[in-house]
Amino acid sequence: MVARRSAGCQTHRWKRELAAAFTRPEELLEALNLDRRLLAPAQEAATGFRLLVPRGYAALMERGNPHDPLLRQALPLAQELEDRIGFSPDPVGDRSAMRAPGLLQKYQGRALLVLTGACAIHCRYCFRRHFPYAESATIADRAAAATAQIAADSNISEVILSGGDPLMLDDEPLAALIKDLEGIAHLKRLRLHTRLPIVLPARITATLRHTLTTSRLQAVVVVHANHARELGEDVRRALGRLRHAGIPLLNQSVLLRGVNDRAEDLVDLSERLFDSGVLPYYLHLLDKVSGAAHFEVPEESAVKLMDRLRTRLPGYLVPRLVKEEAGRPYKIPVL
């Protein structure tokens, strides 16, 4: 009974924190003591893709610094309104890869289920910031159509839960979906791609851990951190709870101008990830989504950056530099 009450308190905590998140640029700017001249462009850019930042994440930002690497990921800027050649609403071909409502299949043996369009933070470089979530039916309909399609294809051995963010679902519906997937005999693994352990660590509840560790499917959690300062003590404790439950943890980052485009940034990130029980996995070149061109790091610069990383880190802490192109059967290594 005590454990059940504790799990309920955890659930309520992450929802309370999400409900209290910053959603208005003026509130965030005031909390961080930033120049009010940033307000008008932030408000204009936020009309197309609104601001959303949990207060715990904002607390890790440096007050008074408009160039803070965490703030830069979340604050709407005037550059988002510029049209740039080569940037589009669907840069990785999600629409053409849709096999059922919310079910994408690009790579052999794997299928990706877009469970929800909701996130706990609106990252300004998000490659799905223009994704037509409303066209993909309700969560229940998505899940039903997806499981039927997956069950009919015995070549699929791994399902990736994505979004939005799959951990925006409550523990109970998420557990029910996983139970349905367990009933498909040819599935072996369940991968969750999530930013919530980084931006809303209270989401890692005892109930969630129980669901993942008692499933017959091997769970793998791939988190998304771009900068070492995102890994505060609350985040490290949440990651530790997953790791101590025996769940493999990987990290994928996006290479972002003004955020993590120096060797020092990426070295610190890899070291702090490993200290938190997470292995660096992928470093993505920016997906060329409309509104995010100001984050782009040229490929030649990225290759030189990786050379510097290899001289400073052991091989197991060097993420693989990759890019994604629509229609390709795998992520492309950038060498």
Side-chain angles (χ1 to χ4, degrees):
M1 208 53 180
V2 173
R4 202 171 300 156
R5 280 200 301 271
S6 174
C9 289
Q10 288 181 317
T11 300
H12 292 148
R13 178 184 168 193
W14 76 266
K15 288 187 175 181
R16 287 195 304 271
E17 290 183 9
L18 184 60
F22 290 107
T23 57
R24 298 166 58 210
E26 56 267 36
E27 294 177 333
L28 181 62
L29 295 177
E30 183 178 353
L32 294 175
N33 194 28
L34 291 168
D35 193 328
R36 294 282 294 182
R37 285 176 292 185
L38 294 169
L39 179 57
Q43 288 175 322
E44 187 178 3
T47 57
F49 185 44
R50 73 186 183 96
L51 171 83
L52 180 64
V53 188
R55 289 175 184 266
Y57 185 82
L60 300 174
M61 299 174 183
E62 182 183 353
R63 287 175 56 83
N65 181 7
H67 306 294
D68 179 84
L70 277 60
L71 174 70
R72 186 167 169 79
Q73 296 178 62
L75 180 68
L77 296 174
Q79 292 100 310
E80 296 180 33
L81 304 172
E82 300 172 1
D83 289 329
R84 290 282 295 272
I85 295 173
F87 286 74
S88 69
D90 184 17
V92 298
D94 276 348
R95 283 199 156 196
S96 60
M98 196 172 292
R99 300 291 175 261
L103 181 70
L104 309 180
Q105 191 170 10
K106 299 180 182 180
Y107 307 136
Q108 185 174 345
R110 289 151 285 169
L112 183 146
L113 182 53
V114 178
L115 289 181
T116 174
C119 288
I121 187 170
H122 286 175
C123 301
R124 309 314 298 180
Y125 54 87
C126 178
F127 71 97
R128 289 201 181 116
R129 58 183 289 169
H130 305 292
F131 188 83
Y133 293 105
E135 298 177 14
S136 299
T138 65
I139 292 172
D141 288 343
R142 280 185 203 137
T147 51
Q149 184 85 6
I150 293 165
D153 187 349
S154 60
N155 291 316
I156 298 174
S157 61
E158 180 175 43
V159 169
I160 302 164
L161 302 185
S162 185
D165 197 302
L167 292 189
M168 289 293 286
L169 270 67
D170 283 338
D171 287 331
E172 292 75 14
L174 188 60
L177 171 64
I178 293 172
K179 194 72 175 173
D180 289 342
L181 293 172
E182 287 175 357
I184 301 174
H186 50 264
L187 289 183
K188 298 178 181 178
R189 288 181 300 277
L190 179 74
R191 199 185 333 161
L192 286 84
H193 284 191
T194 176
R195 190 134 157 83
L196 261 73
I198 306 301
V199 302
L200 197 66
R203 177 63 187 92
I204 306 306
T205 63
T207 304
L208 174 64
R209 297 197 305 276
H210 177 79
T211 296
L212 296 179
T213 55
T214 58
S215 173
R216 77 158 185 87
L217 301 174
Q218 170 62 62
V220 179
V221 173
V222 182
V223 298
H224 176 183
N226 295 316
H227 196 278
R229 284 208 358 249
E230 294 179 312
L231 302 170
E233 287 308 311
D234 287 346
V235 171
R236 286 159 63 89
R237 281 192 289 269
L239 294 171
R241 291 194 291 271
L242 290 170
R243 181 168 55 89
H244 291 142
I247 299 168
L249 299 177
L250 305 172
N251 181 69
Q252 55 182 353
S253 305
V254 182
L255 185 58
L256 302 167
R257 190 186 344 158
V259 174
N260 58 7
D261 55 342
R262 302 179 309 157
E264 294 78 8
D265 297 325
L266 294 173
V267 167
D268 290 347
L269 175 59
S270 283
E271 292 281 8
R272 195 157 180 85
L273 283 167
F274 191 68
D275 289 346
S276 304
V278 185
L279 272 180
Y281 173 39
Y282 278 148
L283 177 62
H284 289 264
L285 292 184
L286 180 74
D287 293 320
K288 296 189 176 186
V289 63
S290 301
H294 54 292
F295 286 112
E296 187 177 26
V297 175
E299 188 169 316
E300 315 80 65
S301 300
V303 170
K304 292 176 182 177
L305 185 59
M306 293 303 295
D307 284 342
R308 292 197 289 274
L309 283 190
R310 292 187 185 98
T311 66
R312 297 180 56 177
L313 288 170
Y316 58 87
L317 290 187
V318 179
R320 284 171 281 178
L321 181 65
V322 296
K323 62 182 178 180
E324 186 170 355
E325 292 181 357
R328 296 293 292 268
Y330 51 82
K331 294 192 190 317
I332 303 164
V334 180
L335 304 174

